[in-house]
Amino acid sequence: MKLLPNNPSHSGYKVTAAILLFLSVTSPITLAAKPKDDPCAAIAGQSIASFTEAKACLEHFPFDQTIADQTIDTIRSVTKDLYVFNEIAASPPRVDGLSVVPVNISYGLDVIKQEKWKSDRAFQDAVALLLDKVQDAHLVYAPFCYRQFIFWQPIQLNSLIRNRRLVVNVAYVKNDIWPDAKESWTGCEVTHIDDREAIDMVVDYAVNNNGESKDVNTCYNNIMNTKSYFHGWDDGADDLGYHRFLPAQETHAYTLRCPKKGSQPIDEQYDPPFTVKVPWVAQVPQGFSDADSYWQSYCQSAYQSNNNGPNFGKRNGAVWSEETSNELKRIHEGQAFDLSPSSYASGNSNAAGEAKGGRYMEFIELDNKVGVIDIQSFSVDMQDRGEFASNFTQGLETFEKNGIEKIILDLSQNGGGDACAGEYIINSFFGSTPDYQSDVKYTPFMERVIQKAYKDKATKWYDYRSEADPTKISADWYTNTVTYKRGKEDVKFSQPITLSCDGWDSGVHKQYKNDRWKPSDLLILSDGRCGSTCAIVASRLRLSHQVPALGFGGIRGNRMQYASFPGGESERLSGFLMDLQSLGLENDPEAPLPFPERADMGWTFREMYGPMENKKGQGDERHLLEYSVNYADCRLYFDDDNADDVQALWKQVAKIILDGECPLLAKE
């Protein structure tokens, strides 16, 4: 068992001791044979089920040591050979302002492997939790078998400032899944949750149960809800009121105090407080009729089906079938879930001005010569690259034509995506600028992959070039290694590299050339949930081009960062295995095997450094963006006016930028 140590840097809030492997373990159970004993059949076809009913179905599948061993072997292979932060995660640097605890992934896998779990679900969730504790949102294990139900709390919470106090508030209720939930509870203050002060409980949960960021304010924002401000960040892992995994307990007790009739919450005139016990309610997937069909629909992998028997998990004789390839493709394209959280859909985005730009971004003109570019995602499909660039250019041209003087770049809840899409946006404002230095972890296996990619001129690995000579088309950048200290170990890395966007740029016919807006005319707006490519874009705009950044939400009194997990670049096992197959390397003796159950895994493979003077810090882990603190220059909080109205929030931010109330912080 591994405990989280206390962290004194959270301004009065401590990281409480949290058990890493929290799931109970006993002897394996056997699968019930009789239909009347089939808990999945009991709820098949229902739209909702109770916590107990859903749990019985998910816990019905027995722990299988062979499946567990192969799952652990694949995860160990990826983290040891491909995950760029594996060694530093085990012994991270101490950085004021970051919530970071040591996680030795290999040791954690050893502990998990030695246990005899009471169910397959318990084992799978233990593995997912281990990786979550690294607090790198790129590093994730998703066992789709146990992510098909959606668990809701009928009371959905947000957090806001009310009369100078940070309070937990009922944002809305879901009486469609629990009729006892009352609309009149909306706007009530939650004073206690499970007999604890509500704020203390929420902060503790954010610190100990959210792996999205090393910044506690971002974690705090990530577990709370704002109904109309959702761009589709559907990880379903850590939200207080919405899970894709089985919650830890059946009910929560909320103590509410509600405004007296005729008064508003801000008046703080309350009726007597009362406590209500609220259950978790499960939305039931619809693609099964009993336990066997549930397993076949959501759990059993094509690779397992084609390789079942004594040689399962052994590379020699393994069959890589067309079914395996098709399944990986479906997983990679996001076709793994039966249900989606449709009730999270955003409200009317045009309420404060005309919105243009398509599904990746919106351009909104406010009524005071301030424009908003709401960049919702950088995950641009290959066929949409030209449209993405054209919409961005047309949006800026329209802003210029209509006399927009200030621009808010809203990067909130943007999980990242295509690095070249981010590069395009930076270059549109400031011309071609040098990328931040980055490199890739070296292994002999990856040398074979990259050498073959250059030989075949195929896959993403062919797009990387040496930073010293970007015109040279060669894998020398990978084979000529350097060694850096990471944590307590010496680790081999590639030479510094840059990503070629030639293929991306070929579909772009026109690049906007900005001669109207200075850095001080722009303002980054972020709730901290600006991750991956988004985090790198925000960091480059702020650190290299001095565009000020405003952070909103979070814990009052705690300084906030404007970006999360800016590790560099990530990969998913489904996509990586498809690349190996296209290169003819799927049976390489050191290649990770597909998971024996339907699952996927993500990890960071390219590390990124912050700006360095004359590259003096090259290779120094203290300059890695993933382990750096970059605070927002100014701060705004949710309140009763803006918490459920993004247009009201944008208008508040517009006043800040017009009044010059977000000056750049001095470099610390």
Side-chain angles (χ1 to χ4, degrees), residues 45 50 83 115 136 143 155 205 290 358 510 644-645:
S50 70
Y83 180 45
E115 299 289 357
D136 174 1
I155 288 182
Y205 186 94
D290 54 20
K510 183 180 180 181
D644 197 29
D645 186 347

Side-chain angles (χ1 to χ4, degrees), residues 21-22 176 198 216 314 348 383 388 416 447 465 523 552 577:
L21 306 178
F22 68 103
D176 56 331
V216 66
K314 299 178 181 179
N348 177 14
Q383 66 271 19
F388 176 91
E447 179 174 337
R465 303 286 184 265
L523 180 66
F552 71 92
L577 292 177

Side-chain angles (χ1 to χ4, degrees), residues 39-40 53-61 119-122 145-149 151 244-246 294:
C40 297
E53 292 170 328
K55 180 180 180 180
C57 178
L58 294 174
E59 296 277 42
H60 188 60
F61 306 104
S119 68
D120 182 60
R121 196 278 313 169
C145 181
Y146 305 106
R147 299 296 183 265
Q148 299 303 322
F149 289 83
F151 292 91
R244 279 197 180 272
F245 61 88
L246 183 69
Y294 184 96

Side-chain angles (χ1 to χ4, degrees), residues 398-461:
T398 301
F399 272 9
E400 183 173 2
K401 177 182 176 182
N402 293 345
I404 294 298
E405 298 173 358
K406 304 287 185 181
I407 295 177
I408 299 166
L409 296 172
D410 192 341
L411 300 177
S412 302
Q413 297 196 26
N414 184 320
D418 192 324
C420 291
E423 190 76 16
Y424 182 85
I425 286 177
I426 295 173
N427 293 348
S428 293
F429 283 109
F430 301 109
S432 181
T433 57
D435 195 0
Y436 283 171
Q437 189 180 66
S438 64
D439 50 39
V440 178
K441 189 176 180 179
Y442 172 86
T443 63
F445 164 59
M446 279 306 299
E447 179 174 337
R448 294 192 292 275
V449 172
I450 291 171
Q451 292 277 24
K452 190 64 159 55
Y454 270 80
K455 179 181 178 180
D456 293 356
K457 298 182 180 179
T459 75
K460 66 192 297 181
W461 303 104

Side-chain angles (χ1 to χ4, degrees), residues 236-258:
D238 310 293
D239 194 297
L240 268 179
Y242 158 69
H243 289 349
R244 279 197 180 272
F245 61 88
L246 183 69
Q249 62 194 71
E250 183 175 1
T251 63
H252 293 284
Y254 294 85
T255 299
L256 310 179
R257 58 176 188 175
C258 301

Side-chain angles (χ1 to χ4, degrees), residues 106-121:
S106 181
Y107 173 77
L109 292 173
D110 288 340
V111 173
I112 293 173
K113 188 170 184 176
Q114 291 168 6
E115 299 289 357
K116 298 297 182 183
W117 299 89
K118 77 172 186 178
S119 68
D120 182 60
R121 196 278 313 169

Side-chain angles (χ1 to χ4, degrees), residues 288-306:
F288 72 99
S289 59
D290 54 20
D292 287 343
S293 60
Y294 184 96
W295 184 265
Q296 292 167 5
S297 295
Y298 305 124
C299 311
Q300 182 168 297
S301 72
Y303 184 77
Q304 180 195 31
S305 299
N306 292 318

